[in-house]
Amino acid sequence: MAASKKTKSRASESRVTKSKRNKQEDEDSVIEVDEDDDSETMGSQEVKNTAVIRKLIANQFSKNDDAKTIELQKSIAGMFAEARLASEGRKRECSQYLEAMVLDFEERLKERADPEIEEILRALEKRNTCVLNLGMQDEPLSGPVKEQLEAAVAETTQSLNDHEQLRTRSRKRLLKHAKGDYRLAAERQKFAMSLPLLIAAAIPLSIVALVIKTWWERRFLLKNVPAPANASLIWGHEKTEFEDDSGYQWRAWFKECGKAFKLKAAWGHPDILVVGDTVALSHIYAKNTYNYPHSPVFIPLIERLTGRGLIWVEGEKAHKKMRALVAPAFSADNVRKMGADIYQVSHNLQNKLSNEILSNGGSSVFNVFELMAPATLDVIGRVGFGHDFNTIGDSPEGLKITSGWKKQNEMGQDEAGFTALLVLRLFPWITSLPLEAIQAQGAVANRIRELAKDIVANGQMEKHGKDLMSILLRANAQQDPAKRVDMAEIYDHVVTFIVAGHETTAGASAFSLWTLAQNPEVQTALRDELLAFSGEPTYDDFANPDAFPLLDAVCKENLRLFPASARNEKVAAEDDVLPLREPIKGADGCWINTIPVKKGQVIHIPSIGINRDEDVWDDADAFRPSRWLVGRPGCEKYCKPGDKGLKPAEEMCGGWAGIFSFSEGPRACVGMRLALFEYKVLIYTLVKNFVFEDTGVKVMTRFGATLAPRVVGQESEGITIPVKISLA
């Protein structure tokens, strides 16, 4: 309240000063302002204020023609002129200034004993200077100013719990106060307020408010949930999380804190909840799915990388509608028909690889990530949209997509990419700015979107066809507007499935070739199993785990070790309570069976940590396909004495095969059947015909857009796994 009165007083006195100057030029213009003009420019409240001020001036100052009174009258005239010229967005602000000035005039005139106006102006200047310098003081805030800030933060926290909206509203409130204070001081100096000076005044106050608000939130949210030790003052635990290799850090935290804990966020942000408990995971992903959308920081990123498709869409109604549209394209019956196209691509890859090996004397070292990406891009183009990118044949359009995606993934794995996400969390509106770095994130999606126009234009729609292109084109031809899908959405579906459909399977296949190169005995046994089969296996052959038990085990083991999405970030849309399978020990020493979650709570789901949880997988970091075969009839030859099998299903997560690589629940990967079929055809073709050898390099993993490897000591070379390949 005290600060509010001061603001009103400053508005009054500064406007009065400006009024004196105007009257010296045209005194009548002060008293005789055109009523019609005011009415057209300002609302009824402004007109009322204008009339009151005229009356006050006429009664109190009209007989005094000294320079100070003239200056007061000119100030008021200037205020009227400004209000008349105000844009629509500033009329309300002008009204508030006028109202404050009226109230202050009335109060001062009642108490007035003919004080010296110059003394009033000096007091005003001193007060404005104090407020402007508030954010620059080193000592703690005290007195009315501190009370004002605390009151503003408390009021905002009560009315708006959502973190991003809360920060935006607090910033706007403080920005408005700083604008008013600085504007009055600037008028005393006879020049209008400039935007840079406004920002200079607003930023310190915003920082003060943010610190107070963050402290207030941290005091109560997740108060009793345990946290790991050794948090950085600046980075919290987030930089350690970012630098994790193969899920090691998350597993260490599981041991220290349990399967649910909080992390200290970077840059003073509220704590982050980490969930690896299988019951809590099922609650988030299967039972209360739509209460946990993607984080607001990641939604714009997903849009730029994969378009506004099935990965991006949020909300139960919108997601179910979109998934129901595309899911038939990935049914078992439809994927079964894709075999011919998948085998054609795998044979193209085999022929190209054979020619390169022969031209290099019988063996050569390849970056298997760059080897597999063209093949998986060609597959999704053929089976999804009837389009052959011919990336294996080095077509420019295909290579631009694979190389562009690789660069984007590398950017996300660098420290600059990590820091950029923190900046976006602090200032999410940056994503809407036309900055080159922001636009570059959508380069691949934009390139595919342009290609999508030609792909769709040349696409063939079968009346009852269940291929993705036919489904989309039929949806576009719907007469019912509620069921019709416009072309922009179709282009986004093309982007989503081309990006996600090729990158994830390429990564899984590349990691598999590397692990087989490191484990030659498993590779040899797998080759023997594949060669024993007569002819080309069908979808049903690969879907039967007894037909190729070792191939099935190798597939599951690699997907367990190297999930494409190593970590997910969710946010609670509404308050909720997470049940836990395993109680955790709270900070107060008591055991916790449930965790209350507030709206806006950020949650990290470490898929790679869940897949490598040592309580579930024992030798979790080891590539040991035999764990999937222990106890299965006819698989004894693949197991060694003492090998441990799988834990009971209730101890594993609810995802496919008890791993979290495809997620779980209504938002689980819609193309999982295609991904598994494609993976097995590619591995089948390559392992039958080639031998893969380890090059001896040490490989680390980082998570950018997807999980990807880098060679230790050669990180600057980007995403790579070198494997020596020769003919079998």
Side-chain angles (χ1 to χ4, degrees):
M1 292 299 295
S4 177
K5 289 181 178 180
K6 289 181 179 181
T7 302
K8 294 175 180 178
S9 177
R10 288 194 298 272
S12 166
E13 295 161 15
S14 182
R15 303 301 182 200
V16 169
T17 301
K18 188 173 182 179
S19 170
K20 292 180 182 180
R21 294 191 301 270
N22 282 354
K23 186 176 181 183
Q24 193 171 22
E25 297 174 3
D26 188 343
E27 184 173 343
D28 289 340
S29 67
V30 178
I31 307 298
E32 302 296 337
V33 179
D34 192 327
E35 294 282 356
D36 294 336
D37 193 21
D38 285 348
S39 300
E40 292 176 357
T41 310
M42 302 182 290
S44 59
Q45 182 62 49
E46 288 89 331
V47 175
K48 179 181 177 181
N49 292 338
T50 300
V52 173
I53 294 172
R54 289 199 191 96
K55 182 178 179 180
L56 291 171
I57 295 171
N59 291 340
Q60 301 295 333
F61 297 109
S62 60
K63 296 179 181 180
N64 190 343
D65 58 354
D66 62 22
K68 295 175 182 176
T69 301
I70 292 173
E71 188 173 353
L72 285 171
Q73 293 171 329
K74 288 177 62 179
S75 175
I76 295 172
M79 190 62 205
F80 293 156
E82 181 179 2
R84 286 196 300 272
L85 296 174
S87 63
E88 200 64 29
R90 293 184 58 193
K91 285 183 180 179
R92 186 176 178 182
E93 181 184 8
C94 291
S95 175
Q96 291 171 342
Y97 279 129
L98 286 167
E99 185 176 1
M101 184 165 61
V102 170
L103 293 174
D104 193 69
F105 267 18
E106 290 176 335
E107 180 180 349
R108 288 187 175 278
L109 291 172
K110 289 178 183 177
E111 303 173 355
R112 187 168 181 262
D114 200 19
E116 285 294 323
I117 297 175
E118 196 64 30
E119 292 180 5
I120 296 175
L121 296 177
R122 283 198 298 269
L124 173 64
E125 181 178 6
K126 182 178 179 182
R127 182 165 64 253
N128 288 343
T129 301
C130 291
V131 174
L132 287 172
N133 292 333
L134 177 63
M136 303 300 181
Q137 295 177 2
D138 294 330
E139 58 272 18
L141 301 178
S142 61
V145 175
K146 180 179 180 182
E147 294 175 3
Q148 180 192 2
L149 283 176
E150 291 178 344
V153 171
E155 177 187 349
T156 306
T157 304
Q158 181 179 1
S159 64
L160 196 58
N161 290 322
D162 181 79
H163 178 66
E164 293 299 328
Q165 295 182 20
L166 179 61
R167 186 172 66 244
T168 301
R169 183 174 172 183
S170 297
R171 185 183 295 113
K172 286 182 177 179
R173 288 169 59 89
L174 292 168
L175 188 63
K176 179 179 177 181
H177 292 165
K179 180 178 179 180
D181 291 332
Y182 184 78
R183 185 177 175 211
L184 293 174
E187 287 181 350
R188 178 69 181 92
Q189 300 296 327
K190 300 181 180 179
F191 62 88
M193 180 186 66
S194 64
L195 181 60
L197 293 175
L198 167 62
I199 296 174
I203 288 177
L205 296 179
S206 300
I207 292 173
V208 170
L210 180 61
V211 170
I212 295 174
K213 178 182 68 66
T214 302
W215 171 83
W216 185 264
E217 290 177 338
R218 281 187 165 184
R219 186 177 179 183
F220 298 105
L221 297 183
L222 305 178
K223 181 178 180 181
N224 199 34
V225 176
N230 303 321
S232 164
L233 184 63
I234 298 175
W235 303 108
H237 294 103
E238 287 199 86
K239 193 168 186 180
T240 304
E241 182 187 43
F242 167 75
E243 294 173 345
D244 174 75
D245 179 15
S246 303
Y248 169 80
Q249 189 58 62
W250 280 302
R251 288 178 287 134
W253 286 335
F254 283 163
K255 290 181 179 179
E256 181 181 353
C257 303
K259 301 301 169 58
F261 55 89
K262 66 184 177 186
L263 294 179
K264 295 298 179 184
W267 296 3
H269 285 281
D271 295 338
I272 297 168
L273 179 63
V274 177
V275 175
D277 183 275
T278 55
V279 171
L281 287 173
S282 292
H283 180 85
I284 293 171
Y285 280 85
K287 296 179 180 178
N288 201 10
T289 308
Y290 299 103
N291 189 51
Y292 295 95
H294 292 104
S295 162
V297 174
F298 278 83
I299 289 176
L301 180 63
I302 293 170
E303 179 184 354
R304 290 192 295 276
L305 293 179
T306 68
R308 294 188 167 201
L310 195 59
I311 301 174
W312 167 85
V313 69
E314 294 291 354
E316 182 173 5
K317 184 178 179 180
H319 176 261
K320 286 184 175 180
K321 178 182 177 182
M322 190 175 288
R323 188 177 179 98
L325 172 68
V326 301
F330 302 99
S331 66
D333 286 342
N334 211 45
V335 173
R336 189 177 286 112
K337 300 173 184 177
M338 299 177 183
D341 281 315
I342 298 174
Y343 270 111
Q344 181 60 58
V345 172
S346 69
H347 292 323
N348 291 344
L349 177 61
Q350 175 191 345
N351 293 335
K352 179 178 181 178
L353 193 55
S354 297
N355 292 334
E356 291 192 23
I357 289 172
L358 291 173
S359 66
N360 283 280
S363 67
S364 186
V365 174
F366 295 86
N367 176 0
V368 290
F369 255 75
E370 292 185 350
L371 183 69
M372 301 308 299
T376 56
L377 179 60
D378 287 353
V379 167
I380 190 62
R382 281 171 166 264
V383 304
F385 307 104
H387 178 79
D388 187 3
F389 284 103
N390 191 27
T391 319
I392 292 175
D394 297 329
S395 74
E397 70 171 17
L399 292 177
K400 284 180 180 179
I401 293 173
T402 56
S403 62
W405 181 261
K406 178 174 177 285
K407 290 178 181 177
Q408 286 190 339
N409 205 357
E410 289 170 345
M411 288 171 60
Q413 295 178 352
D414 293 335
E415 288 197 10
F418 165 68
T419 305
L421 285 177
L422 299 182
V423 173
L424 291 177
R425 184 194 295 167
L426 188 62
F427 305 110
W429 47 266
I430 290 178
T431 59
S432 63
L433 297 179
L435 300 177
E436 183 177 354
I438 298 296
Q439 293 175 337
Q441 292 178 331
V444 173
N446 290 335
R447 185 175 293 120
I448 296 173
R449 195 173 284 108
E450 288 301 313
L451 291 174
K453 296 176 181 179
D454 293 333
I455 293 173
V456 172
N458 297 325
Q460 299 296 317
M461 181 183 70
E462 297 182 16
K463 185 174 181 181
H464 301 291
K466 292 186 178 180
D467 61 284
L468 188 56
M469 180 58 74
S470 293
I471 288 172
L472 294 176
L473 291 177
R474 280 203 307 273
N476 177 252
Q478 285 280 353
Q479 297 299 315
D480 185 352
K483 296 180 180 179
R484 187 183 305 126
V485 175
D486 61 30
M487 293 306 298
E489 182 177 333
I490 290 179
Y491 298 151
D492 277 319
H493 283 305
V494 175
V495 173
T496 297
F497 286 106
I498 286 178
V499 170
H502 97 273
E503 167 65 13
T504 53
T505 309
S509 304
F511 275 121
S512 296
L513 296 179
W514 177 60
T515 54
L516 289 172
Q518 290 187 308
N519 296 270
E521 70 286 353
V522 176
Q523 182 184 166
T524 299
L526 177 60
R527 185 175 294 107
D528 292 343
E529 178 183 88
L530 302 179
L531 289 170
F533 189 88
S534 177
E536 284 188 340
T538 64
Y539 171 83
D540 294 306
D541 292 325
F542 285 126
N544 178 7
D546 294 326
F548 296 97
L550 186 54
L551 175 61
D552 187 67
V554 167
C555 171
K556 291 175 178 175
E557 186 72 345
N558 274 290
L559 289 173
R560 179 186 74 82
L561 289 169
F562 307 106
S565 182
R567 175 178 67 79
N568 296 297
E569 183 169 301
K570 300 283 189 178
V571 64
E574 300 292 342
D575 292 358
D576 197 12
V577 177
L578 295 180
L580 299 177
R581 181 179 181 275
E582 300 178 13
I584 57 175
K585 195 171 186 179
D588 61 0
C590 298
W591 290 96
I592 301 172
N593 294 298
T594 60
I595 299 177
V597 174
K598 293 292 184 182
K599 177 182 177 180
Q601 177 63 59
V602 175
I603 302 173
H604 284 182
I605 312 293
S607 304
I608 193 169
I610 295 164
N611 285 358
R612 296 192 183 210
D613 184 355
E614 293 176 355
D615 290 339
V616 177
W617 302 99
D618 297 314
D619 51 342
D621 284 334
F623 172 74
R624 185 168 65 81
S626 64
R627 74 176 80 245
W628 302 90
L629 303 173
V630 170
R632 285 179 56 177
C635 295
E636 296 81 3
K637 60 183 177 180
Y638 300 128
C639 304
K640 298 178 181 178
D643 278 355
K644 294 182 179 181
L646 302 177
K647 294 289 178 71
E650 58 268 19
E651 295 185 30
M652 305 166 75
C653 76
W656 173 81
I659 59 179
F660 209 68
S661 302
F662 291 110
S663 185
E664 66 172 285
R667 298 205 66 146
C669 177
V670 72
M672 182 181 69
R673 291 188 184 91
L674 171 59
L676 294 173
F677 185 25
E678 178 183 359
Y679 169 93
K680 289 182 178 181
V681 169
L682 290 171
I683 297 299
Y684 170 85
T685 302
L686 294 175
V687 172
K688 271 184 61 177
N689 294 282
F690 303 98
V691 175
F692 302 89
E693 299 178 53
D694 186 22
T695 57
V697 299
K698 184 178 180 181
V699 173
M700 58 175 286
T701 63
R702 281 286 172 86
F703 179 63
T706 57
L707 187 72
R710 296 197 181 197
V711 175
V712 175
Q714 302 174 29
E715 291 85 355
S716 62
E717 295 185 7
I719 296 173
T720 182
I721 297 186
V723 173
K724 184 179 180 181
I725 305 178
S726 57
L727 297 175

